[in-house]
Amino acid sequence: MKSVISFALAGLVAFSASFANAGCGTCDKSIVEVAAGNKDFSTLVAAVKAAGLVDTLSGKGPFTVFAPTDAAFKKLPKGTLEELLKPENKDKLVAILKYHVVAGKVMSKKVVELDAAKTVQGQKVKIAVKDGSVMINKAKVVKADIPTLNGVIHVIDTVILPKATKGKKKAAE
Amino acid sequence: MFGKSKFASLAAVAAILLGAVAYATKLLPAKVIQITEDSAGWSKADDFRWVVLSGDPASKIFHTVDTKSRLDEKRKVTSLRGPMALSISHREEKEKTPPYLAWYRIANPTQDDNGSWTLEDAANSKPYAVDLAAASFLLTPAKRLTSGTPKKEPSDLDIFKAYEISESSCEPIELQLDHPLVGTMAGKATPKYLCMPVEESHHDEVFPIKKPDFCFVVYELINPAEKENIMSLTSIDQFGIHSLSATQSSLICVPARVHSPH
């Protein structure tokens, strides 16, 4: 457990350092370009490519993306990510990624005034401010307001998952 | 112009500022205290009674905005780094989430000579002259995050630039501020910064000046008391969410009026 925490902290520190100078250097790049330009989002970028969402998230938008770091993906149960990246699970991967996207550019000042937001996937995420932290479901926002050409990125420390639908219906159309 | 009696009831001024911020190779003007005003028509008392905390942020951001104060002939590209400090409203004791001002260091200070001005402030019995140097900080409205939805900032709270006072005819004066969060700040102080409202453009948003005549002077205590870290807090402003460790204070802010250059 300690090693997991250490790893997460190390990732967070590295992430913070890498974005310390982000400022408006990201304003002329799309969400995908900004993510691709940061090594802490390599898993997210790979997932976006596998899901075929590059064009969508490079489009006009605007979008608000709650972007999990690589460390966040590592917190998923073993084998989960590998399964999601398989072609036969593309629909499920698309649903999960869309669950991290909200239509419109919602800066953190507005986010903290909300208690929920409808995602592009269709379901809502819960938003709460607790003990000085902004929570998206059970994920903590570790960096907010990274501006991009087509929206804004808020970085989260945990992958958030939509509720599974009943029956044979797939989890996220 | 400002008889002592007028200011006898002036609620203390002051605030606390925190600690020296080890920033790059130099320390930040460690402590700021802010404010106050009362009688004398400076503004409503509760509108500007602040304590300023300064501290070491968990991470600093770089950001660039366009700003224009009455000292600027045209809009200036202003590169910011911070936040380095926070001013906290005296309303801390009354409200769960009082308004704050987040202090960002201006990384590209320009126009070293901003002329000579006459100031009147709520803590001084007579007007005095100052020479203004470059603006060192941009102060932007902020909120503290605790639990639950934070209250909105006051609608008339401006964004300010803090200009360094390079010369002043003001003799050291006694200042005091009692704040529920930081206790009593008191001692002789001299003017350090003059804060003036600015218009700011940030991405596609423009923040106009709301109270053009409202300025404040930041006094620095000559012999501030040493204090331990006060608290850790998280703030949110136009540049995002920030964590700060608050430390000592040596700066006190006082409402002021600015008169034409000499």
Side-chain angles (χ1 to χ4, degrees), chain A residues 18-19 36 49 57 97 104 119 126 144-145 153 159 162 167:
Chain A
S18 63
F19 262 108
K49 287 178 180 174
L57 290 175
L97 291 175
T119 68
K126 289 182 182 175
D145 295 346
I153 296 172
V159 177

Side-chain angles (χ1 to χ4, degrees), chain A residues 42-124:
Chain A
S42 58
T43 306
L44 176 64
V45 172
V48 168
K49 287 178 180 174
L53 291 174
V54 171
D55 287 345
T56 302
L57 290 175
S58 299
K60 186 178 178 182
F63 302 109
T64 297
V65 174
F66 297 106
T69 59
D70 289 353
F73 279 101
K74 282 188 164 47
K75 289 159 67 175
L76 288 170
K78 191 175 180 181
T80 302
L81 180 62
E82 290 73 14
E83 282 297 310
L84 287 171
L85 291 174
K86 289 178 178 175
E88 61 266 33
N89 291 324
K90 182 177 176 180
D91 288 348
K92 196 170 183 180
L93 178 62
V94 168
I96 290 172
L97 291 175
K98 285 185 174 179
Y99 190 60
H100 290 74
V101 181
V102 171
K105 185 176 182 179
V106 190
M107 304 302 282
S108 60
K109 284 184 73 173
K110 181 67 179 175
V111 171
V112 299
E113 294 174 357
L114 305 173
D115 54 16
K118 187 176 182 181
T119 68
V120 172
Q121 179 265 348
Q123 294 181 30
K124 289 183 176 179

Side-chain angles (χ1 to χ4, degrees), chain B residues 2-251:
Chain B
F2 299 104
K4 287 183 180 176
S5 60
K6 275 193 170 180
F7 296 99
S9 62
L10 237 203
V13 171
I16 289 190
L17 203 261
L18 317 176
V21 177
Y23 166 60
T25 56
K26 42 181 160 180
L27 295 180
L28 235 211
K31 323 152 184 194
V32 178
I33 280 192
Q34 212 173 283
I35 284 329
T36 169
E37 149 311 310
D38 249 34
S39 52
W42 285 99
S43 70
K44 292 178 185 174
D46 282 343
D47 279 353
F48 228 76
R49 185 169 308 208
W50 303 70
V51 163
V52 182
L53 301 176
S54 102
D56 194 6
S59 63
K60 303 180 186 77
I61 62 101
F62 257 140
H63 221 95
T64 302
V65 297
D66 289 340
T67 61
K68 185 179 183 306
S69 78
R70 62 188 282 189
L71 300 186
D72 302 319
E73 290 181 1
K74 57 183 180 180
R75 284 187 176 182
K76 288 187 172 179
V77 174
T78 307
S79 298
L80 306 173
R81 186 164 190 175
M84 310 307 244
L86 276 178
S87 305
I88 304 176
S89 167
H90 200 61
R91 281 180 279 184
E92 179 82 41
E93 61 184 338
K94 299 179 191 171
E95 302 179 13
K96 188 179 176 186
T97 52
Y100 285 65
L101 286 172
W103 291 53
Y104 285 83
R105 177 177 287 284
I106 295 176
N108 62 336
T110 56
Q111 198 168 317
D112 285 340
D113 181 3
N114 278 297
S116 298
W117 300 75
T118 300
L119 302 185
E120 298 173 300
D121 73 49
N124 221 311
S125 59
K126 55 186 178 182
Y128 55 95
V130 296
D131 291 344
L132 296 182
S136 301
F137 293 94
L138 184 89
L139 284 59
T140 188
K143 290 180 281 196
R144 180 181 171 191
L145 294 183
T146 52
S147 290
T149 304
K151 289 187 178 179
K152 294 195 173 184
E153 302 139 6
S155 59
D156 60 352
L157 186 56
D158 273 312
I159 299 168
F160 297 88
K161 266 185 186 174
Y163 291 89
E164 288 200 44
I165 295 175
S166 55
E167 295 285 342
S168 169
S169 66
C170 176
E171 296 294 322
I173 60 170
E174 290 284 345
L175 290 180
Q176 178 175 328
L177 175 67
D178 298 314
H179 192 279
L181 194 62
V182 298
T184 297
M185 294 293 299
K188 283 192 178 289
T190 54
K192 173 86 170 169
Y193 302 106
L194 171 64
C195 296
M196 303 181 76
V198 298
E199 178 183 288
E200 181 199 293
S201 298
H202 179 205
H203 299 317
D204 49 358
E205 208 170 353
V206 176
F207 301 90
I209 294 174
K210 297 152 190 164
K211 295 166 74 175
D213 296 328
F214 186 77
C215 303
F216 59 93
V217 172
V218 182
Y219 279 84
E220 183 174 42
L221 295 176
I222 295 172
N223 294 304
E226 290 297 320
K227 294 207 173 185
E228 299 297 322
N229 282 7
I230 297 172
M231 59 194 299
S232 294
L233 54 84
T234 305
S235 68
I236 183 169
D237 59 38
Q238 60 174 313
F239 304 117
I241 298 170
H242 317 284
S243 295
L244 278 174
S245 295
T247 52
Q248 298 175 346
S249 166
S250 67
L251 301 179

